[in-house]
Amino acid sequence: MAFFHGVKASEVATSVITPVSTTAGLPVVFGTAPVHLTSDPKAYVNKPVICYSWDEAVAALGYSEDWDKYTLSEVMYSQFKLYGVSPVVFVNVLDPTKHKKSQKDTTGRAVSDHQIIVDDAVLLSTLVVKKSSASEVAVLGTDYTAAYNDDGKLVITLLETGALYSEATLVLEYDAVDATAVTSADIIGGASADGSSKGLELLDQIYTMFSLVPGIILAPGFSEDPTVASVMKSKALNITDLFRCIVLTDVDTAKCKSYQDVNEWKKTNSYTGKNQVVCWPCVKNGDMVFHYSTHLLGVIGVMDAGNSDVPYQSPSNQDMQITGLCLKDGTEVMLSLAQANLLNSQGVVTAINFTGGWKSWGNYTGAYPSTTDVKDTFICVRRLFDWQYQTFILTYWQEVDVPIIPRLIKAILGSERIRLNGLVSRGYLLGADIDFLESENPTTDLLQGIIRFHTKITPPVPAQNIENTLEYDVSNFKSLFE
């Protein structure tokens, strides 16, 4: 060591490991978007995009009020306009190179006031305008302009300086997006021959792309399909072989028009996952009809934001931005408290307008009542367990491949106890502890570099049954003689 005369200092790494923050309810939404309304329709096809605002989402994916065709627009409106919750990860599976139809006029289209309005979802790059089928192709920017208006309709305007300005009819050729060509198989997706992923298979890429773990998965408009719902459940239980989260799914209101039909449909189609929330019926806001899962996503987002992003609270009895219940076709649905409670007892989440306006109603996952394990039946308990998974993994990933010595064990135990005690003191847990048990760490495993910790946590369960016993107290008659 070099000679030194005086005083000096140095530092070592902090002995307490800082917890990693996660977005507990990060939504990952699969569906279709009106990409023909964007500047680059191919930019976000089976490529997740994270959006923090309405403008950002519209710029990336476009927006259309035709929610039956473009399901991501429904979630976009609900999250950003009604609930004000962000961020949202959108995955559009509508591929304009695949889901399209070609149009070639054989007769001319009428020009009105030097304009033609086209209702089709035209891909602008494919648009061809001619005076007649045998004529030369008109020049964009010279003879005409083409742009979508606020109603999502394509407006072709003839320029006064162009060769078509005085024409009464024109012939159009183009490719148009065909959202009806998108099937459940596109949502399910899979691995392509070139090694790329599509649909739900993209879940494994979310953390790599955004450093955020999926917290809630939904596919409104497609999750009524039992095949899609089963894949959603499966994928959510094993994200990148590390994480897990819940899925929000809807019951098909075309087949379940009454609350009495729901339980049989739920059991027959295996909507019974312990990480699955089953919703019925649809909801409306004014004249707009939404899938229930879309609004429940907003409810959870608002609730989590009020709880410092700790998912310890049940989404039941929370305010909903709705004006009623309905079927997908808009038919109004009326539910009494007793009928809503029956659905709850069958593991179905619904809504009631009992006191204080419309509220979400239901605490159980789809696994109830066939499953009774509290961590798999209460939505809030299941979510907190999933959150504990991802928080522990991400916080202590930095300790992977560090030498197994007592200091490592003590560092993890000490740091995790501090974090858990903080959750207890804030009321997010009733109690918690972590141990390193010799019985769970045999020498054969230690020789392979495997160490195991054992954490016990007690998330609170919702007070879904509050009772009060009244008694007539005759002893108070004595006050008459005082």
Side-chain angles (χ1 to χ4, degrees), residues 333-345:
V333 172
M334 301 294 293
L335 281 181
S336 67
L337 178 60
Q339 292 166 343
N341 284 346
L342 176 62
L343 288 171
N344 289 173
S345 72

Side-chain angles (χ1 to χ4, degrees), residues 28-270:
V28 183
V29 190
F30 294 82
T32 53
V35 293
H36 60 283
L37 298 176
T38 66
S39 59
D40 185 357
K42 300 177 185 178
Y44 292 105
V45 176
N46 280 301
K47 179 182 178 182
V49 55
I50 189 167
C51 300
Y52 288 83
S53 69
W54 168 264
D55 291 341
E56 191 176 7
V58 172
L61 300 168
Y63 173 79
S64 170
E65 293 185 356
D66 192 346
W67 296 347
D68 287 338
K69 289 183 178 179
Y70 308 110
T71 59
L72 295 184
S73 290
E74 175 187 324
V75 180
M76 190 186 304
Y77 186 93
S78 178
Q79 287 293 98
F80 295 123
K81 295 289 189 180
L82 298 181
Y83 290 95
V85 179
S86 66
V88 183
V89 175
F90 294 101
V91 182
N92 165 58
V93 302
L94 191 155
D95 187 346
T97 66
K98 173 185 175 184
H99 306 115
K100 65 178 181 177
K101 56 185 177 181
S102 298
Q103 173 67 37
K104 188 173 183 179
D105 292 348
T106 56
T107 59
R109 299 196 188 196
V111 177
S112 176
D113 195 22
H114 308 291
Q115 288 185 335
I116 296 177
I117 298 178
V118 184
D119 291 332
D120 286 341
V122 178
L123 293 164
L124 289 177
S125 62
T126 68
L127 177 63
V128 173
V129 179
K130 296 180 179 181
K131 185 181 299 185
S132 66
S133 57
S135 301
E136 293 184 359
V137 176
V139 180
L140 177 65
T142 299
D143 297 317
Y144 69 96
T145 61
Y148 282 96
N149 61 18
D150 293 339
D151 296 324
K153 297 182 183 295
L154 178 62
V155 179
I156 300 173
T157 303
L158 306 184
L159 298 177
E160 188 173 359
T161 56
L164 305 177
Y165 187 70
S166 59
E167 295 299 320
T169 61
L170 292 174
V171 170
L172 305 182
E173 297 176 11
Y174 54 80
D175 287 340
V177 166
D178 184 8
T180 62
V182 177
T183 66
S184 295
D186 294 304
I187 296 293
I188 294 170
S192 301
D194 60 2
S196 62
S197 298
K198 295 182 178 180
L200 287 165
E201 202 66 30
L202 289 162
L203 273 173
D204 288 341
Q205 298 183 15
I206 301 299
Y207 183 74
T208 303
M209 294 178 66
F210 308 118
S211 296
L212 295 171
V213 179
I216 302 173
I217 300 169
L218 69 161
F222 293 95
S223 66
E224 298 97 329
D225 184 331
T227 304
V228 173
S230 64
V231 176
M232 290 172 66
K233 287 187 296 181
S234 176
K235 293 297 297 181
L237 285 174
N238 187 23
I239 303 172
T240 65
D241 293 328
L242 294 173
F243 308 114
R244 56 195 302 165
C245 69
I246 64 167
V247 300
L248 306 184
T249 57
D250 295 290
V251 172
D252 189 347
T253 62
K255 297 179 180 177
C256 296
K257 298 180 183 295
S258 167
Y259 75 97
Q260 296 172 321
D261 304 326
V262 176
N263 188 45
E264 185 63 29
W265 188 94
K266 171 180 179 278
K267 293 188 296 182
T268 300
N269 293 289
S270 298

Side-chain angles (χ1 to χ4, degrees), residues 299 302-303 313-320 358-361:
V299 167
V302 171
M303 179 184 69
Q313 188 175 355
S314 172
S316 183
N317 204 21
Q318 301 293 317
D319 290 336
M320 298 187 75
W358 283 100
K359 308 279 187 178
S360 54
W361 199 246

Side-chain angles (χ1 to χ4, degrees), residues 2-8:
F3 174 78
F4 175 79
H5 185 187
V7 178
K8 63 179 179 180

Side-chain angles (χ1 to χ4, degrees), residues 272-311:
T272 53
K274 61 186 179 181
N275 65 330
Q276 179 179 24
V277 180
V278 183
C279 307
W280 185 88
C282 293
V283 297
K284 60 182 179 180
N285 184 299
D287 295 329
M288 297 179 291
V289 175
F290 299 78
H291 295 89
Y292 191 104
S293 62
T294 297
H295 272 258
L296 186 59
L297 177 65
V299 167
I300 292 174
V302 171
M303 179 184 69
D304 285 354
N307 294 326
S308 301
D309 203 34
V310 180

